[in-house]
Each structure stands twice: as C-alpha cells, then as structure tokens.
Amino acid sequence: MDWLAPIRLTVNAVLPPRCPGCGAVTGADHDLCAGCWSQLRFLAPPWCAACHTPFTVDRGASARCAACIAAPPVHRGVRAAVAYDDLSAAMILRLKYSGHYALATTLAQHMVRLLPGDAALLVPVPLHPRRLWGRGFNQAGEIARALGKASGVPFDPHLLRRTRATPVLRGLGGAARLAAVDRAFAIAPGCAAGAVDKAVVLIDDVYTSGATTAACSRVLLKAGAASVTILCWARVIAQSAGD
C-alpha cells in the first residue's frame, strides 16, 4: 500500500504541478503542457556527423556540414535537446535568474536521451568566481548534477575552472569571441587525473557560436581526456544551417 498517496493528493490539490514553460496546470512535475510541447523543436538526426548541426534532408550517417569539412571541431559534436527559441530561452532564464532550481531536472530529463553511450564523466562549463558568487549557483552545474542523478554518470563540478572573467560574447565577431575566451579556462590544481582517458561530456545551458565550449574542450583534451562531447539544453540554429 502506498501510504504517501493521500499526502501527495493533498499537496497536488493545493500546489498542483505546473508546466515549466508557461505555468499551466499539468498532470505531473516537470511535464510540459501540450501547447509548450508542440512549440519546442526537439533536435534529432539527420544531422552533421561531426558537429550535429541538423540537416533539412538526410544525407547519410557520415555526412558533414560545410563548416566541419572546412574546419573539423576539436570535440565529438554538439548534442542539444531543443532549438533555441523564445520558449526554450525563457526556461533557461527562469532557472538562472528566478530561482526555479527544479527546472534543472526538467531540462536534464530531455537531455539525458542524448548522452553518448560511453559517457564517463559530466563536467559543467564553469562560471567565473565573481559571477558564481553573485548568482549563487552555476546553472550548467545544476543541469549536470541532475543529469548525473538521471543517468548514473559521475559528475565533477570542480575539474574545470574559469581563470578570468570574460565579456558577454553576444554581438561579437568570430575572432573577437575566440580572443575573449583564449586562456580563460584551466584544470583545477591537483585535478588533472580526473580527466585522463575519460569520455567527457561538457554540459552547458545554451550553445551559440561554440567559442566557449571549444576553449573548454581543448583544455580537457590537453589534460588527457579521451574525448569531449558537448551536451546542452538549447542550440542556436542559423536559418541556413544544414541546407
């Protein structure tokens, strides 16, 4: 017999589960309502074999996009649960700035399907200590923690650190973005052994240009990681990407 069932019914009557996207009442915690579910664009193949940019048509499992043919990425690709839009952005903003910590679990439930089969370590993109102090938590770290609970893959929030503050990259050109994150990340002292020979999954909330995750990937690979795969909640998809 489920002795907690009456308590859950009472709690749900007073504080019913609500959609993490719009706040409408739903049947269970972390469930999206039908409207928000249909609005989100969930990402899946066909996509570029190198960076996982979605293709509009299936070109075959080994096909690469033009950008990856010209300059192959240092990592094993970017896996994102959804395309970046107003709704996916709003969910991240509620997590980052409104204290809705349970959203980390919501996002992780949609990201866990994309974890590589050989994933051995989850590492979040770190915040600079000043920003971490101001915000009180790292949203990428909370998502990584929730992913670790859902998947059983170990989670290390301390392996990678941000050694200097970086400007907001939005609006900067490609060269300026690369310069902004150059030497901005490092392995924490005494922690290098944690990455050696591991298939690392680097966790972030939103993937835009890739400058930050590429910089983090280089540091992890230099420290001895066997591979690095990027996993995030939302990815900015250029209108012409994959065409």
Side-chain angles (χ1 to χ4, degrees):
M1 180 180 293
D2 186 357
W3 298 102
L4 293 177
I7 297 175
R8 281 195 291 268
L9 287 172
T10 301
V11 171
N12 286 344
V14 178
L15 298 171
R18 293 189 176 274
C19 173
C22 68
V25 174
T26 58
D29 290 333
H30 309 293
D31 280 359
L32 290 159
C33 70
C36 288
W37 180 272
S38 62
Q39 181 178 327
L40 288 171
R41 177 188 172 190
F42 291 91
L43 301 181
W47 53 27
C48 169
C51 73
H52 296 135
T53 295
F55 287 146
T56 53
V57 295
D58 192 347
R59 304 181 185 179
S62 62
R64 297 190 173 206
C65 67
C68 287
I69 292 173
V74 297
H75 49 70
R76 288 202 308 179
V78 181
R79 302 182 178 207
V82 299
Y84 185 82
D85 60 12
D86 290 344
L87 178 56
S88 61
M91 293 171 69
I92 282 294
L93 292 176
R94 290 178 67 202
L95 169 61
K96 290 170 67 172
Y97 302 118
S98 299
H100 294 276
Y101 302 116
L103 274 169
T105 299
T106 305
L107 306 186
Q109 287 181 353
H110 293 288
M111 294 164 62
V112 70
R113 66 182 171 89
L114 296 172
L115 271 175
D118 63 350
L121 185 65
L122 306 177
V123 176
V125 171
L127 291 178
H128 187 268
R130 285 202 301 271
R131 184 168 293 180
L132 181 61
W133 180 85
R135 185 174 299 165
F137 71 102
N138 177 5
Q139 72 279 359
E142 293 306 307
I143 296 170
R145 187 189 310 277
L147 276 167
K149 290 181 179 179
S151 66
V153 178
F155 153 64
D156 189 343
H158 306 298
L159 176 65
L160 194 61
R161 65 190 184 104
R162 194 179 293 243
T163 57
R164 62 179 178 82
T166 53
V168 175
L169 302 185
R170 188 182 303 110
L172 298 180
R177 287 174 184 261
L178 293 175
V181 298
D182 183 42
R183 289 176 290 185
F185 301 95
I187 300 295
C191 295
V196 174
D197 295 330
K198 299 283 182 60
V200 175
V201 182
L202 184 66
I203 308 299
D204 207 358
D205 52 358
V206 177
Y207 180 90
T208 51
S209 70
T212 296
T213 49
C216 291
S217 296
R218 291 188 183 94
V219 170
L220 290 164
L221 291 168
K222 187 176 180 180
S227 63
V228 179
T229 301
I230 315 303
L231 178 58
C232 59
W233 158 242
R235 177 177 187 163
V236 175
I237 306 293
Q239 191 161 5
S240 60
D243 289 342

